[in-house]
């Protein structure tokens, strides 16, 4: 009976560890997605400034 109890405890711990690992993976994926979105926003801002500078430079040249 002790063997069955020990096995059940091991299975329960394994399931808990697996669930915790999945949470860690999901959190890392979410954080990576947030960083990607922030990078895209930064890129869009830089492109906007670049476009404005190009427009201003063209106006000055005329």
């Amino acid at each position: 009976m002790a063997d069955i109890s020990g096995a059940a405890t091991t299975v329960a711990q394994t399931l808990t560890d697996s669930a915790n690992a999945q949470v860690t993976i999901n959190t890392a994926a979410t954080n990576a997605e947030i960083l990607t979105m922030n990078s895209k926003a930064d890129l869009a801002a830089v492109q906007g400034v670049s476009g404005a500078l190009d427009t201003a430079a063209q106006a000055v040249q005329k």
Side-chain angles (χ1 to χ4, degrees):
M1 211 51 173
D3 288 346
I4 293 173
S5 177
T9 300
T10 299
V11 169
Q13 185 62 55
T14 301
L15 291 174
T16 299
D17 292 346
S18 178
N20 289 338
Q22 189 62 57
V23 168
T24 301
I25 290 166
N26 290 348
T27 300
T30 300
N31 290 341
E33 190 171 346
I34 289 168
L35 288 172
T36 299
M37 290 168 58
N38 289 343
S39 294
K40 287 182 180 179
D42 291 343
L43 176 60
V46 168
Q47 288 173 332
V49 170
S50 178
L53 289 173
D54 287 344
T55 301
Q58 289 172 7
V60 167
Q61 289 174 357
K62 292 179 181 175

